């Protein structure tokens, strides 16, 4: 197996991750405009996020199982294309219910890409697993940050129909991935001459980790859903709220760059524990203080929350070494999806009490995740995936 990361392959996979998450990142930026157009409550706005989360995350383990059993590299270009087309059509949809349907279609594209993409990222990472997966995650971070940056001016200039242009970058990336499929297939290990791994699965640790990710995701989805709406409620413009969201997402990209190498050097668990411990006070400062200090705190929360996505993905693959597609689907999909589903409850809380209360719940969620993370194995997990890729 390779010692280092193959830069060409990782660049292609990260670009695909950028395309799918670009579509996902555009949705929170579209929410204030859709809320105004269809006169949505906070609960109905959160239901749009739920539709996206359910289709893009909860079904990911099924794609992961398919990936492990059969392999499906064609899901890489198809996933990116479907994600982009779905969100573009959702922006211009004439009714709320059609918006929900097209958001689901876009989410299925996201779900199709991630398990296969993360599996190929594991193949291309060599022995630098956390660093490699962080490089893969950076593509998604950048895409999620570019989503609101691109979507906001398109809608301001051209109305919601301008959102149709959101499909173009995704389609361009999909075509590139389609042309690169023969090259990416060359990284699949040869089953006939491949030595089986000796590591055992750690289901208890995996369940704990999925709980950690779910609580972290509650904070994540709460922020991306309600930060723009919070700023609007304070009297700021929709564009200002979306720009603040983009800053948080870009901060997450910086966190991802640092978290992978740190996890390779000091271990996965300490990095996850530190990020969870810091997230709660940072969100609280953003809500309670606001202003420049609040903006800096929000960026810090983005660094802590988003920066560890790649680290926890590697941990899930190490806890389930013979089924890395399924592990990826569970960590990216099901557990994150549970956090996204909980956002509907936050929307109901915002309607019943106020948006401030919902954001304080987002601040508390990482503390619950911290309690679970403290029960994860304290020693270094046997990293058989750092020396070999274990095939089912």
């Amino acid at each position: 197996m390779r010692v280092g990361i193959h830069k060409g392959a990782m660049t292609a996979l990260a670009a695909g991750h950028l395309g799918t998450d670009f579509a996902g990142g555009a949705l929170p930026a579209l929410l204030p405009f859709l809320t105004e157009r269809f006169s949505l409550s906070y609960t109905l706005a959160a239901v749009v996020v739920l539709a996206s989360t359910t289709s893009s995350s909860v079904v990911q383990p099924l794609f992961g199982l398919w990936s492990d059993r059969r392999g499906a590299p064609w899901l890489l270009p198809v996933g990116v294309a479907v994600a982009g087309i779905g969100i573009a059509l959702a922006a211009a949809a004439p009714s709320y219910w059609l918006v929900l349907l097209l958001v689901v279609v876009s989410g299925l594209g996201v779900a199709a890409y991630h398990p296969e993409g993360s599996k190929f990222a594991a193949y291309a990472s060599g022995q630098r697993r956390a660093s490699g997966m962080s490089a893969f995650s950076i593509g998604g971070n950048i895409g999620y940050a570019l989503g609101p940056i691109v979507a906001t001016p398109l809608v301001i200039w051209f109305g919601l129909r301008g959102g149709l242009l959101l499909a173009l970058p995704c389609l361009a990336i999909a075509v590139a991935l389609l042309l690169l499929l023969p090259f990416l297939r060359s990284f699949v290990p040869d089953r006939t001459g491949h030595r089986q791994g000796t590591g055992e699965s750690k289901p208890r640790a995996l369940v704990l980790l999925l709980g950690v990710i779910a609580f972290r995701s509650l904070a994540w989805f709460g922020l991306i859903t309600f930060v723009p709406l919070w700023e609007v409620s304070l009297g700021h413009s929709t564009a200002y709220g979306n720009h603040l969201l983009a800053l948080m997402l870009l901060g997450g990209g910086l966190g991802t760059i640092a978290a992978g190498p740190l996890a390779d050097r000091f271990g996965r668990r300490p990095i996850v524990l530190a990020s969870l411990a810091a997230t709660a006070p940072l969100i609280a400062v953003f809500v309670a203080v606001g202003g420049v200090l609040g903006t800096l705190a929000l960026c810090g929360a983005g660094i802590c929350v988003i920066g560890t996505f790649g680290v926890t993905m590697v941990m899930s693959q190490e806890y389930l070494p013979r089924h890395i597609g399924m592990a990826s689907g569970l960590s990216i999909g099901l557990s994150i999806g549970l956090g996204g589903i909980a956002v509907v409850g936050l929307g109901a809380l915002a309607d019943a009490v106020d948006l401030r209360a919902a954001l304080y719940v987002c601040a508390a969620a990482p503390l619950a995740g911290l309690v679970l993370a403290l029960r994860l194995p304290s020693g270094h997990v046997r990293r058989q995936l750092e020396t070999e890729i274990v095939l089912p």
Side-chain angles (χ1 to χ4, degrees), residues 210-231:
L210 295 180
V212 171
I213 298 172
F215 281 114
R216 183 188 64 185
S217 299
L218 174 57
W220 156 249
F221 279 104
L223 290 175
I224 64 173
T225 302
F226 296 122
V227 162
L229 296 173
W230 170 250
E231 294 301 324

Side-chain angles (χ1 to χ4, degrees), residues 187-198:
F187 287 87
V188 178
D190 182 8
R191 292 175 181 268
T192 58
H194 193 78
R195 182 169 59 90
Q196 291 293 322
T198 58

Side-chain angles (χ1 to χ4, degrees), residues 104 118 123 127 139 162 169 231 247:
V104 167
S118 60
Y123 295 154
Q127 295 181 12
E231 294 301 324
L247 282 176

Side-chain angles (χ1 to χ4, degrees), residues 5 54 66-67 76 102 110 113 118 190 242 249 254 257 305 319 324 350 359 378:
I5 301 169
T54 303
W66 187 1
S67 173
L76 299 176
L102 291 168
V110 175
Y113 181 85
S118 60
D190 182 8
N242 285 339
L249 297 171
L254 296 177
I257 293 172
V305 173
Y319 292 152
I324 61 176
L359 288 171
S378 57

Side-chain angles (χ1 to χ4, degrees), residues 55-110:
S55 58
S56 67
S57 300
V58 175
V59 301
Q60 274 197 43
L62 298 179
F63 283 103
L65 182 62
W66 187 1
S67 173
D68 283 332
R69 289 187 174 180
R70 294 179 174 271
W74 57 270
L75 287 175
L76 299 176
V78 169
V80 178
V82 171
I85 292 172
I87 198 64
L89 293 176
S95 71
Y96 174 73
W97 298 108
L98 189 55
V99 169
L100 290 180
L101 176 62
L102 291 168
V103 164
V104 167
V105 171
S106 177
L108 289 174
V110 175

Side-chain angles (χ1 to χ4, degrees), residues 15-313:
H17 201 182
L18 184 154
T20 56
D21 283 15
F22 171 82
L27 179 59
L30 293 173
L31 269 183
F33 299 104
L34 294 171
T35 298
E36 180 180 0
R37 179 177 184 182
F38 299 116
S39 300
L40 304 179
S41 66
Y42 288 132
T43 302
L44 289 178
V47 168
V48 178
V49 177
L50 172 62
S52 174
T53 301
T54 303
S55 58
S56 67
S57 300
V58 175
V59 301
Q60 274 197 43
L62 298 179
F63 283 103
L65 182 62
W66 187 1
S67 173
D68 283 332
R69 289 187 174 180
R70 294 179 174 271
W74 57 270
L75 287 175
L76 299 176
V78 169
V80 178
V82 171
I85 292 172
I87 198 64
L89 293 176
S95 71
Y96 174 73
W97 298 108
L98 189 55
V99 169
L100 290 180
L101 176 62
L102 291 168
V103 164
V104 167
V105 171
S106 177
L108 289 174
V110 175
Y113 181 85
H114 278 82
E116 193 73 10
S118 60
K119 184 173 76 174
F120 272 84
Y123 295 154
S125 293
Q127 295 181 12
R128 297 177 59 196
R129 292 297 317 291
S131 297
M133 205 57 69
S134 290
F136 176 70
S137 297
I138 287 170
N141 297 155
I142 295 174
Y144 228 110
L146 287 176
I149 291 174
V150 175
T152 300
L154 285 178
V155 176
I156 290 175
W157 295 338
F158 305 113
L160 281 167
R161 288 188 177 276
L164 292 171
L165 297 174
L166 293 171
L168 296 181
C170 297
L171 290 174
I173 293 172
V175 170
L177 285 172
L178 182 63
L179 297 175
L180 289 171
L181 276 185
F183 165 66
L184 293 174
R185 283 194 179 100
S186 69
F187 287 87
V188 178
D190 182 8
R191 292 175 181 268
T192 58
H194 193 78
R195 182 169 59 90
Q196 291 293 322
T198 58
E200 296 181 357
S201 297
K202 299 180 182 294
R204 180 179 177 277
L206 179 62
V207 170
L208 286 172
L209 179 64
L210 295 180
V212 171
I213 298 172
F215 281 114
R216 183 188 64 185
S217 299
L218 174 57
W220 156 249
F221 279 104
L223 290 175
I224 64 173
T225 302
F226 296 122
V227 162
L229 296 173
W230 170 250
E231 294 301 324
V232 170
S233 73
L234 296 178
H236 297 128
S237 68
T238 300
Y240 177 83
N242 285 339
H243 290 155
L244 206 60
L245 176 64
L247 282 176
M248 181 190 76
L249 297 171
L250 289 172
L254 296 177
T256 302
I257 293 172
L262 288 173
D264 277 333
R265 181 171 182 179
F266 299 109
R268 328 297 195 211
R269 183 174 177 268
I271 300 303
V272 171
L273 289 174
S275 68
L276 291 169
T279 300
L282 288 169
I283 296 176
V285 169
F286 164 69
V287 178
V289 179
V292 175
L293 184 59
T295 299
L296 292 175
L298 182 65
C299 291
I303 290 172
C304 293
V305 173
I306 305 170
T308 54
F309 275 24
V311 177
T312 52
M313 192 192 310

